[in-house]
Amino acid sequence: MHLVGSARRKTKHPAPLIAIVGSDGSGKSTVGLALLAWMQTQRPTAFCHLGKQTGNIGRAIARLPFVGASADRKIVSRSSKARDEKGAGALVSLIIFVLSMRRVFRFLRMRRLHRKGIAILTDRYPQAGVPGPMDGPGLVARNPSGFIARFLTRREQGLYDWMSEYVPDLVIRLNIDLETALLRKPDHRYESLQRKISDVPKLTFNGAPVLELDSTEPLETVLEKARIAISDVLKQYHEVL
Protein backbone atom coordinates (compact mmCIF):
# COMPACT_ATOMS: atom_id res chain seq x y z
CA MET A 1 0.00 0.00 0.00
CA HIS A 2 1.41 3.40 -1.00
CA LEU A 3 -0.23 6.74 -0.23
CA VAL A 4 0.88 9.73 -2.30
CA GLY A 5 0.03 13.24 -1.12
CA SER A 6 -1.15 14.54 2.20
CA ALA A 7 -2.80 11.86 4.30
CA ARG A 8 -4.58 14.50 6.38
CA ARG A 9 -5.94 17.39 4.33
CA LYS A 10 -8.15 20.13 5.70
CA THR A 11 -11.78 19.05 5.51
CA LYS A 12 -13.68 21.28 3.08
CA HIS A 13 -16.50 19.06 1.89
CA PRO A 14 -19.81 18.48 3.71
CA ALA A 15 -19.04 14.73 3.73
CA PRO A 16 -16.26 12.36 2.64
CA LEU A 17 -15.59 12.08 -1.10
CA ILE A 18 -13.68 9.00 -2.24
CA ALA A 19 -12.80 8.32 -5.89
CA ILE A 20 -11.83 4.93 -7.31
CA VAL A 21 -9.84 5.22 -10.54
CA GLY A 22 -8.08 2.82 -12.88
CA SER A 23 -8.23 1.44 -16.37
CA ASP A 24 -10.86 -1.01 -17.56
CA GLY A 25 -10.20 -4.39 -16.00
CA SER A 26 -8.68 -2.98 -12.82
CA GLY A 27 -11.72 -3.96 -10.75
CA LYS A 28 -13.24 -0.55 -10.05
CA SER A 29 -16.84 -1.82 -9.98
CA THR A 30 -16.04 -4.89 -7.88
CA VAL A 31 -13.95 -2.96 -5.37
CA GLY A 32 -16.40 -0.05 -5.37
CA LEU A 33 -19.48 -2.10 -4.57
CA ALA A 34 -17.69 -3.97 -1.79
CA LEU A 35 -16.45 -0.71 -0.25
CA LEU A 36 -19.91 0.82 -0.63
CA ALA A 37 -21.49 -1.95 1.45
CA TRP A 38 -18.86 -1.38 4.15
CA MET A 39 -19.07 2.44 4.10
CA GLN A 40 -22.85 2.32 4.41
CA THR A 41 -22.37 0.68 7.81
CA GLN A 42 -20.37 3.76 8.84
CA ARG A 43 -22.55 6.58 7.48
CA PRO A 44 -25.02 7.32 4.61
CA THR A 45 -23.08 6.73 1.37
CA ALA A 46 -23.95 6.87 -2.32
CA PHE A 47 -22.09 5.23 -5.20
CA CYS A 48 -21.82 7.45 -8.30
CA HIS A 49 -20.47 6.41 -11.70
CA LEU A 50 -18.89 9.49 -13.27
CA GLY A 51 -17.80 7.99 -16.57
CA LYS A 52 -19.34 8.61 -19.99
CA GLN A 53 -19.56 4.85 -20.65
CA THR A 54 -19.03 5.41 -24.37
CA GLY A 55 -16.99 2.21 -24.50
CA ASN A 56 -20.09 0.20 -23.62
CA ILE A 57 -21.95 1.86 -26.49
CA GLY A 58 -19.13 1.13 -28.93
CA ARG A 59 -18.88 -2.52 -27.93
CA ALA A 60 -22.65 -2.90 -28.26
CA ILE A 61 -22.47 -1.50 -31.79
CA ALA A 62 -19.57 -3.83 -32.66
CA ARG A 63 -21.68 -6.85 -31.69
CA LEU A 64 -24.50 -5.97 -34.09
CA PRO A 65 -24.88 -8.61 -36.82
CA PHE A 66 -23.63 -7.83 -40.36
CA VAL A 67 -22.95 -4.08 -39.88
CA GLY A 68 -21.45 -4.00 -36.39
CA ALA A 69 -17.77 -4.50 -37.23
CA SER A 70 -17.85 -1.98 -40.08
CA ALA A 71 -19.66 0.63 -37.99
CA ASP A 72 -17.22 0.14 -35.13
CA ARG A 73 -14.23 0.71 -37.43
CA LYS A 74 -15.76 3.94 -38.72
CA ILE A 75 -16.37 5.20 -35.18
CA VAL A 76 -12.78 4.45 -34.17
CA SER A 77 -11.46 6.17 -37.30
CA ARG A 78 -13.51 9.31 -36.76
CA SER A 79 -12.76 9.44 -33.03
CA SER A 80 -9.02 9.20 -33.70
CA LYS A 81 -9.24 12.42 -35.74
CA ALA A 82 -9.96 14.26 -32.48
CA ARG A 83 -6.40 13.42 -31.45
CA ASP A 84 -4.82 14.86 -34.61
CA GLU A 85 -3.13 18.24 -34.45
CA LYS A 86 -6.01 19.88 -36.34
CA GLY A 87 -8.64 17.94 -34.44
CA ALA A 88 -11.98 16.61 -35.57
CA GLY A 89 -14.52 18.39 -37.72
CA ALA A 90 -17.54 20.24 -36.39
CA LEU A 91 -19.90 17.23 -36.31
CA VAL A 92 -17.51 14.83 -34.57
CA SER A 93 -16.49 17.59 -32.14
CA LEU A 94 -20.14 18.20 -31.32
CA ILE A 95 -20.74 14.48 -30.66
CA ILE A 96 -17.70 14.27 -28.36
CA PHE A 97 -18.80 17.41 -26.54
CA VAL A 98 -22.33 16.06 -26.02
CA LEU A 99 -20.87 12.85 -24.58
CA SER A 100 -18.75 14.91 -22.19
CA MET A 101 -21.93 16.67 -21.08
CA ARG A 102 -23.22 13.27 -19.99
CA ARG A 103 -20.37 13.22 -17.48
CA VAL A 104 -21.12 16.78 -16.40
CA PHE A 105 -24.75 15.88 -15.63
CA ARG A 106 -23.61 12.88 -13.58
CA PHE A 107 -21.14 15.11 -11.77
CA LEU A 108 -23.86 17.64 -10.93
CA ARG A 109 -26.07 14.85 -9.55
CA MET A 110 -23.16 13.70 -7.38
CA ARG A 111 -22.63 17.26 -6.11
CA ARG A 112 -26.31 17.53 -5.15
CA LEU A 113 -26.10 14.36 -3.08
CA HIS A 114 -22.83 15.50 -1.53
CA ARG A 115 -24.23 18.87 -0.47
CA LYS A 116 -26.88 16.97 1.51
CA GLY A 117 -24.13 15.48 3.66
CA ILE A 118 -24.08 12.08 1.97
CA ALA A 119 -20.66 10.46 1.67
CA ILE A 120 -19.75 9.76 -1.94
CA LEU A 121 -17.85 6.86 -3.46
CA THR A 122 -17.24 7.25 -7.19
CA ASP A 123 -16.30 4.92 -10.00
CA ARG A 124 -14.00 7.13 -12.12
CA TYR A 125 -13.46 10.86 -11.56
CA PRO A 126 -13.08 13.72 -14.07
CA GLN A 127 -9.62 15.23 -14.42
CA ALA A 128 -8.32 18.02 -16.63
CA GLY A 129 -4.58 17.36 -16.74
CA VAL A 130 -4.39 14.40 -19.14
CA PRO A 131 -6.74 14.68 -22.14
CA GLY A 132 -8.13 11.44 -23.47
CA PRO A 133 -9.94 8.31 -22.37
CA MET A 134 -8.90 8.32 -18.71
CA ASP A 135 -11.70 10.68 -17.71
CA GLY A 136 -10.12 13.73 -19.32
CA PRO A 137 -11.36 16.02 -22.12
CA GLY A 138 -12.26 14.16 -25.31
CA LEU A 139 -11.34 17.04 -27.65
CA VAL A 140 -7.61 16.72 -27.15
CA ALA A 141 -6.29 18.65 -30.17
CA ARG A 142 -4.98 21.99 -28.97
CA ASN A 143 -5.23 23.72 -32.37
CA PRO A 144 -8.39 22.39 -34.03
CA SER A 145 -9.38 23.81 -37.38
CA GLY A 146 -12.72 25.53 -37.68
CA PHE A 147 -14.53 27.93 -35.37
CA ILE A 148 -17.02 25.37 -34.01
CA ALA A 149 -14.34 22.81 -33.12
CA ARG A 150 -12.22 25.48 -31.42
CA PHE A 151 -15.18 26.79 -29.44
CA LEU A 152 -16.24 23.32 -28.29
CA THR A 153 -12.67 22.38 -27.36
CA ARG A 154 -12.28 25.47 -25.16
CA ARG A 155 -15.73 24.98 -23.64
CA GLU A 156 -15.09 21.32 -22.85
CA GLN A 157 -11.71 22.09 -21.29
CA GLY A 158 -13.36 24.72 -19.11
CA LEU A 159 -15.92 22.21 -17.85
CA TYR A 160 -13.22 19.70 -16.96
CA ASP A 161 -11.18 22.42 -15.24
CA TRP A 162 -14.27 23.26 -13.16
CA MET A 163 -15.03 19.64 -12.24
CA SER A 164 -11.42 18.88 -11.31
CA GLU A 165 -11.40 21.78 -8.81
CA TYR A 166 -13.72 19.69 -6.64
CA VAL A 167 -10.87 17.66 -5.15
CA PRO A 168 -11.62 14.25 -3.57
CA ASP A 169 -10.55 13.53 0.00
CA LEU A 170 -8.93 10.33 -1.25
CA VAL A 171 -8.24 8.78 -4.64
CA ILE A 172 -7.88 4.99 -4.71
CA ARG A 173 -5.83 4.16 -7.78
CA LEU A 174 -6.07 0.56 -8.94
CA ASN A 175 -2.99 -0.30 -10.97
CA ILE A 176 -2.93 -3.24 -13.36
CA ASP A 177 -0.75 -4.63 -16.13
CA LEU A 178 -1.95 -4.88 -19.72
CA GLU A 179 -1.90 -8.68 -19.85
CA THR A 180 -4.17 -9.05 -16.82
CA ALA A 181 -6.50 -6.31 -18.04
CA LEU A 182 -6.92 -8.08 -21.39
CA LEU A 183 -7.66 -11.37 -19.64
CA ARG A 184 -10.38 -9.64 -17.62
CA LYS A 185 -11.72 -7.60 -20.54
CA PRO A 186 -11.21 -9.70 -23.69
CA ASP A 187 -13.83 -7.68 -25.59
CA HIS A 188 -11.88 -4.42 -25.18
CA ARG A 189 -9.55 -3.00 -27.82
CA TYR A 190 -5.85 -3.63 -27.18
CA GLU A 191 -4.79 -0.10 -28.12
CA SER A 192 -7.46 1.49 -25.93
CA LEU A 193 -6.49 -0.53 -22.86
CA GLN A 194 -2.82 0.10 -23.48
CA ARG A 195 -3.32 3.86 -23.59
CA LYS A 196 -5.50 3.92 -20.49
CA ILE A 197 -3.01 1.87 -18.49
CA SER A 198 -0.17 4.18 -19.53
CA ASP A 199 -2.22 7.28 -18.62
CA VAL A 200 -3.34 6.11 -15.16
CA PRO A 201 -0.03 6.91 -13.35
CA LYS A 202 -0.05 10.43 -14.81
CA LEU A 203 -3.29 11.47 -13.10
CA THR A 204 -2.80 13.83 -10.13
CA PHE A 205 -6.35 15.04 -9.33
CA ASN A 206 -5.18 18.49 -8.21
CA GLY A 207 -3.02 17.16 -5.40
CA ALA A 208 -5.57 14.84 -3.80
CA PRO A 209 -4.08 12.07 -1.62
CA VAL A 210 -3.70 8.99 -3.83
CA LEU A 211 -3.66 5.45 -2.48
CA GLU A 212 -1.70 3.24 -4.88
CA LEU A 213 -2.99 -0.33 -4.95
CA ASP A 214 -2.02 -3.35 -7.03
CA SER A 215 -5.32 -4.73 -8.30
CA THR A 216 -3.73 -8.06 -9.23
CA GLU A 217 -3.52 -8.85 -5.51
CA PRO A 218 -6.33 -10.89 -3.91
CA LEU A 219 -9.55 -8.90 -3.64
CA GLU A 220 -9.68 -9.06 0.15
CA THR A 221 -6.11 -7.71 0.36
CA VAL A 222 -7.04 -4.76 -1.87
CA LEU A 223 -10.22 -4.11 0.13
CA GLU A 224 -8.43 -4.21 3.48
CA LYS A 225 -5.84 -1.65 2.36
CA ALA A 226 -8.58 0.57 0.97
CA ARG A 227 -10.66 0.33 4.16
CA ILE A 228 -7.68 1.41 6.27
CA ALA A 229 -7.18 4.55 4.15
CA ILE A 230 -10.90 5.35 4.03
CA SER A 231 -11.17 4.92 7.81
CA ASP A 232 -8.65 7.73 8.21
CA VAL A 233 -10.80 9.99 6.03
CA LEU A 234 -13.95 9.08 7.97
CA LYS A 235 -12.13 9.80 11.23
CA GLN A 236 -11.24 13.31 10.04
CA TYR A 237 -14.90 14.09 9.39
CA HIS A 238 -15.90 12.64 12.75
CA GLU A 239 -13.36 14.95 14.44
CA VAL A 240 -14.91 17.99 12.70
CA LEU A 241 -18.43 17.20 13.94
Side-chain angles (χ1 to χ4, degrees):
M1 180 172 65
H2 181 43
L3 186 65
V4 179
S6 174
R8 293 184 63 84
R9 62 191 294 268
K10 184 178 179 181
T11 300
K12 296 181 180 179
H13 297 314
L17 173 57
I18 314 294
I20 302 174
V21 303
S23 75
D24 299 341
S26 62
K28 296 186 300 298
S29 297
T30 301
V31 171
L33 292 175
L35 290 176
L36 174 66
W38 171 74
M39 285 183 66
Q40 287 178 333
T41 67
Q42 313 294 311
R43 61 179 298 155
T45 305
F47 189 62
C48 299
H49 194 298
L50 300 182
K52 296 180 292 186
Q53 293 184 302
T54 53
N56 291 342
I57 298 173
R59 284 184 289 275
I61 292 173
R63 288 193 294 268
L64 292 173
F66 306 117
V67 299
S70 176
D72 183 54
R73 285 193 296 270
K74 288 181 180 179
I75 291 172
V76 172
S77 175
R78 289 184 176 235
S79 297
S80 66
K81 292 181 180 179
R83 296 189 287 272
D84 295 341
E85 182 180 352
K86 293 184 178 180
L91 179 59
V92 174
S93 296
L94 180 60
I95 292 171
I96 293 173
F97 182 82
V98 169
L99 291 172
S100 279
M101 288 303 299
R102 186 181 187 190
R103 169 172 281 141
V104 173
F105 291 139
R106 290 181 171 192
F107 186 83
L108 289 170
R109 176 183 176 274
M110 181 272 289
R111 287 282 302 264
R112 288 195 295 270
L113 292 172
H114 203 208
R115 283 196 294 268
K116 295 178 181 178
I118 298 173
I120 301 294
L121 185 66
T122 76
D123 181 340
R124 315 183 77 93
Y125 202 83
Q127 55 82 26
V130 182
M134 275 312 305
D135 306 311
L139 296 169
V140 300
R142 296 300 88 186
N143 298 297
S145 58
F147 170 77
I148 294 176
R150 286 197 301 272
F151 171 79
L152 293 174
T153 297
R154 290 195 296 269
R155 181 60 178 151
E156 185 194 46
Q157 182 66 51
L159 288 169
Y160 276 86
D161 288 339
W162 169 72
M163 289 188 288
S164 66
E165 289 176 358
Y166 204 68
V167 182
D169 294 290
L170 175 68
V171 174
I172 298 174
R173 178 152 51 202
L174 300 176
N175 298 295
I176 194 169
D177 60 274
L178 180 58
E179 182 180 2
T180 303
L182 285 169
L183 286 173
R184 293 180 178 179
K185 299 289 185 179
D187 59 333
H188 283 46
R189 300 186 189 93
Y190 178 93
E191 294 79 8
S192 176
L193 273 177
Q194 185 179 46
R195 183 180 179 191
K196 289 179 180 180
I197 290 171
S198 67
D199 281 351
V200 166
K202 304 173 186 176
L203 310 180
T204 61
F205 298 98
N206 271 353
V210 178
L211 176 66
E212 304 280 4
L213 294 179
D214 180 357
S215 66
T216 64
E217 291 186 326
L219 177 60
E220 189 50 45
T221 300
V222 173
L223 291 175
E224 180 59 24
K225 292 177 179 179
R227 284 192 289 259
I228 291 172
I230 293 174
S231 292
D232 184 64
V233 174
L234 297 177
K235 187 185 302 182
Q236 293 176 48
Y237 278 86
H238 180 72
E239 291 171 355
V240 171
L241 294 177

